[in-house]
Amino acid sequence: YLKPMNCPFHNLIFRARARSYRELPLRLAEFGTVYRYEKSGTLSGLTRVRGLTQDDAHIYVTDEQVKDEIKSQLEFVFATLRAYGLNDFYLELSTRDPEKSVGSDEQWEIATETLRQVGEESGLELVADPGGAAFYGPKISVQARDAIGRTWQLSTVQVDPNLPERFELEFTDKDGQKKRPIMIHRALFGSIERFFAILLEHYAGAFPLWLSPVQVVGIPVAEQYGDYLDDVIERLRMAEVRAEVDHSDDRMQKKIRNHTAAKTPVQLIVGENDRAAGTVSFRFRDGTQTNGVAVDDAIALITNAIAARVQVSTADDLAAVIAPEGPVEVKA
């Protein structure tokens, strides 16, 4: 279905059969595409679109589980954002708009206070957003600053006692009585399109090695070294590295310029000396090079750097990468 939100469908999954307290927390998640025509009609690149994919999760919990689950979800959010290199963020607590909400004052007060406690216990700055909550419950959102200080709303965690009531969701508790679950909405990235746009802005297109769409490109000094490079790049592909060889008719110097401009993290350049010695030469975004690296060592260095999410932008970065057997000596 064309849908504006994923929440109702997860509620139908919960309601599809009888549920026990033993199943809770029950966590459902999907990358669901939704369509929204907002009042303002504003569109802006990838940051505001009409068809977007959300990494939506809905967690069904008992009253006693709410606080621990919110804390766990926020820790998951922080770890994920930091893994992508976003380390400068604060929290925003969005509270009820009485004119655009459902549910009792008591439900909202309990949910809001729980979010406030978890936010304060996180140690991050917590700022108020009066009246900014959705109609069904309050939320905490992560406001991240990119490399030049701009602030973007990313992940959200919302507490919702109201949709379970409207969808008549229930579970059987320990005492055999039917009870309503509390629903927690969690978006880890938010809109995938928007998150990608934010990463592009944050890195100015110069993604770290592990995240780059093309991680390694092979550049032969002349056409006769293409086959040798093909073998090296194929070994990298077998190790799940996103790698390719530039077999275009451009001169070597132009290939280097093109891939430097494209911000490819690692260029492997091969000439007669490398082919004869079974080596490759590394070239990096800043123009520095590391020559005469044995192919086995080169593959180990690249795969280790990707696995460790180490930034490799210079010859010094490469020398700091540790191979399984210990440091690999390279010639500057």
Side-chain angles (χ1 to χ4, degrees), residues 223-289:
E223 184 179 351
Q224 61 264 36
Y225 307 115
D227 290 343
Y228 175 83
L229 255 180
D230 283 336
D231 292 339
V232 176
I233 295 300
E234 182 58 29
R235 289 184 61 185
L236 285 169
R237 286 177 178 164
M238 293 293 290
E240 299 185 347
V241 178
R242 296 183 291 277
E244 59 190 41
V245 180
D246 187 342
H247 286 296
S248 69
D249 294 331
D250 292 330
R251 294 171 60 84
M252 180 192 72
Q253 290 81 0
K254 185 175 181 181
K255 292 179 182 181
I256 290 173
R257 286 197 303 272
N258 289 343
H259 293 291
T260 300
K263 302 184 180 180
T264 305
V266 174
Q267 298 174 37
L268 295 183
I269 302 173
V270 166
E272 182 57 39
N273 291 341
D274 285 305
R275 185 171 65 175
T279 62
V280 292
S281 295
F282 284 74
R283 184 180 175 90
F284 303 95
R285 286 176 178 147
D286 70 342
T288 59
Q289 289 196 195

Side-chain angles (χ1 to χ4, degrees), residues 106-119:
E106 182 183 7
Q107 287 176 321
W108 276 85
E109 287 169 7
I110 293 172
T112 303
E113 182 57 27
T114 303
L115 284 174
R116 187 188 315 280
Q117 290 176 13
V118 174

Side-chain angles (χ1 to χ4, degrees), residues 17-331:
R17 63 171 176 81
R19 302 287 178 178
S20 164
Y21 72 93
R22 293 186 181 89
E23 297 179 71
L24 307 184
L26 176 64
R27 303 178 181 95
L28 304 177
E30 69 168 306
F31 287 93
T33 301
V34 296
Y35 301 87
R36 297 176 180 176
Y37 189 90
E38 298 181 11
K39 270 187 177 181
S40 67
T42 302
L43 298 174
S44 179
L46 288 173
T47 60
R48 189 166 292 276
V49 294
R50 287 182 181 156
L52 56 137
T53 301
Q54 288 187 317
D55 60 330
D56 254 347
H58 296 96
I59 302 106
Y60 301 87
V61 296
T62 66
D63 291 347
E64 298 77 20
Q65 294 170 334
V66 173
K67 185 174 180 180
D68 284 345
E69 187 65 27
I70 294 170
K71 184 177 179 181
S72 174
Q73 292 300 325
L74 271 181
E75 288 172 351
F76 184 24
V77 164
F78 299 155
T80 301
L81 296 182
R82 286 173 178 140
Y84 280 90
L86 297 167
N87 298 296
D88 185 4
F89 45 77
Y90 64 93
L91 303 179
E92 188 172 79
L93 177 61
S94 298
T95 54
R96 185 180 193 179
D97 180 349
E99 303 298 320
K100 299 177 182 178
S101 57
V102 297
S104 69
D105 292 341
E106 182 183 7
Q107 287 176 321
W108 276 85
E109 287 169 7
I110 293 172
T112 303
E113 182 57 27
T114 303
L115 284 174
R116 187 188 315 280
Q117 290 176 13
V118 174
E120 290 173 347
E121 290 170 8
S122 74
L124 294 174
E125 179 187 4
L126 180 66
V127 301
D129 174 29
F135 72 90
Y136 47 74
K139 73 176 178 181
I140 276 184
S141 59
V142 177
Q143 307 286 331
R145 299 181 183 92
D146 63 20
I148 61 173
R150 290 170 299 188
T151 301
W152 306 86
Q153 178 180 305
L154 294 175
S155 319
T156 58
V157 177
Q158 299 167 277
V159 179
D160 179 5
N162 290 302
L163 289 188
E165 184 77 30
R166 296 199 157 206
F167 279 83
E168 300 180 341
L169 306 184
E170 58 185 24
F171 66 94
T172 304
D173 207 356
K174 296 176 184 177
D175 57 8
Q177 299 299 309
K178 299 291 186 182
K179 294 186 179 178
R180 297 272 187 236
I182 300 294
M183 184 178 178
I184 297 173
H185 305 244
R186 187 217 71 210
L188 195 58
F189 298 123
S191 155
I192 301 301
E193 294 82 2
R194 190 164 181 268
F195 187 73
F196 184 63
I198 292 166
L199 286 181
L200 279 169
E201 294 285 343
H202 181 63
Y203 288 111
F207 289 116
L209 176 63
W210 74 273
L211 191 57
S212 185
V214 177
Q215 295 167 312
V216 179
V217 63
I219 299 176
V221 171
E223 184 179 351
Q224 61 264 36
Y225 307 115
D227 290 343
Y228 175 83
L229 255 180
D230 283 336
D231 292 339
V232 176
I233 295 300
E234 182 58 29
R235 289 184 61 185
L236 285 169
R237 286 177 178 164
M238 293 293 290
E240 299 185 347
V241 178
R242 296 183 291 277
E244 59 190 41
V245 180
D246 187 342
H247 286 296
S248 69
D249 294 331
D250 292 330
R251 294 171 60 84
M252 180 192 72
Q253 290 81 0
K254 185 175 181 181
K255 292 179 182 181
I256 290 173
R257 286 197 303 272
N258 289 343
H259 293 291
T260 300
K263 302 184 180 180
T264 305
V266 174
Q267 298 174 37
L268 295 183
I269 302 173
V270 166
E272 182 57 39
N273 291 341
D274 285 305
R275 185 171 65 175
T279 62
V280 292
S281 295
F282 284 74
R283 184 180 175 90
F284 303 95
R285 286 176 178 147
D286 70 342
T288 59
Q289 289 196 195
T290 299
N291 302 320
V293 181
V295 171
D296 287 346
D297 289 344
I299 292 170
L301 287 164
I302 292 168
T303 54
N304 288 345
I306 291 170
R309 293 180 178 169
V310 174
Q311 179 66 289
V312 179
S313 300
T314 68
D316 289 340
D317 293 338
L318 182 69
V321 177
I322 304 300
E325 300 78 14
V328 174
E329 292 186 10
V330 294
K331 303 170 187 175

